[in-house]
Amino acid sequence: MRTARSRDRYRRPLKNSMLALFTAGCALAVTSCSGASDNPKASPTPSATQPTKPADPTETAKKDAIATYQSYWNEAEKLYADPSGKSAKLKQYAASAALKNLESDAKQAHDHNRIHIGQVTVGNPTVTELDLKSKTPRATLSSCLDISRWKVVDAKTKKPLSLPSNRLTKYVIQSEVERWPEGWRVIRDEPQGKRC
C-alpha cells in the first residue's frame, strides 16, 4: 500500500513535466507570434491588403491637360531661344491657333534678331471646364503666366533690349486643350489682359 509520501513522489514528476510542456508551449507561441511582426519582409495578411482604386477619369484628364500645358510652355521657351526654331518639339503639345501663333511670333522675333532667354512660369493652372463626352474631349484652363524672368535679348550680343515699363509680366491666361488620338494638345492660348 502506498503512503501519502510515495504518492507525492509520483505526482511531482507529473506536475514538473506538465509545467515543462506548458512553458515550452508558451515559449513557442511567443516566438511564432513575435517572429511575424519582427520580420519587416513578412507579407501582410490578405485582410490587411487594400484593393487599388481605379483611377478617376476626370482627375486623370485634368492632370494630363495641365501637364500638357506646362510642357507646351517648356517647348515655347526653347522655340523663342533658338533662332533656327529646330530645338523645340512644340507639335507634341500644340496644334491649331496656339501652334501657329507661337511659331509666327517666334519667327517675327528671330527676324528682328531677338531671342528670349530665361524661364516662363505657369502659376496655379486650374481646369475651369472639362468635357470628356464630346467627340474630341476638351478642357479649359486658367493660369497665371509669369514672364518676368523671360528676357528679350539681342541674338548676337545677348544684351537685354529695352521694353515698355508698363507691360504686363504676370497675367491671367486662358487656354483650351483638346485630347487628340496622339494625346492632349493646346489649341488656343489667350492672355486676358488682367494682372495676377
Side-chain angles (χ1 to χ4, degrees), residues 57-79:
T58 300
E59 289 306 310
T60 300
K62 287 179 180 180
K63 286 178 187 173
D64 291 346
I66 288 170
T68 296
Y69 188 66
Q70 290 171 324
S71 296
Y72 160 82
W73 273 105
N74 289 340
E75 293 304 317
E77 286 175 11
K78 294 176 190 174
L79 176 69

Side-chain angles (χ1 to χ4, degrees), residues 27-135:
L28 182 61
V30 168
T31 305
S32 66
C33 289
S34 66
S37 64
D38 291 342
N39 184 359
K41 293 182 181 178
S43 60
T45 58
S47 62
T49 58
Q50 296 283 336
T52 328
K53 277 187 177 180
D56 178 1
T58 300
E59 289 306 310
T60 300
K62 287 179 180 180
K63 286 178 187 173
D64 291 346
I66 288 170
T68 296
Y69 188 66
Q70 290 171 324
S71 296
Y72 160 82
W73 273 105
N74 289 340
E75 293 304 317
E77 286 175 11
K78 294 176 190 174
L79 176 69
Y80 279 87
D82 177 15
S84 74
K86 293 178 181 175
S87 63
K89 295 176 181 156
L90 203 55
K91 289 181 181 176
Q92 292 180 10
Y93 306 103
S96 289
L99 178 63
K100 287 177 190 170
N101 291 343
L102 269 185
E103 287 180 333
S104 171
D105 193 46
K107 184 180 183 316
Q108 187 177 7
H110 297 153
D111 288 348
H112 287 91
N113 201 33
R114 297 175 181 172
I115 60 171
H116 292 62
I117 59 171
Q119 184 180 359
V120 175
T121 304
V122 179
N124 195 28
T126 308
V127 175
T128 57
E129 289 179 40
L130 182 66
D131 180 5
L132 296 177
K133 293 181 181 176
S134 66
K135 187 177 179 182

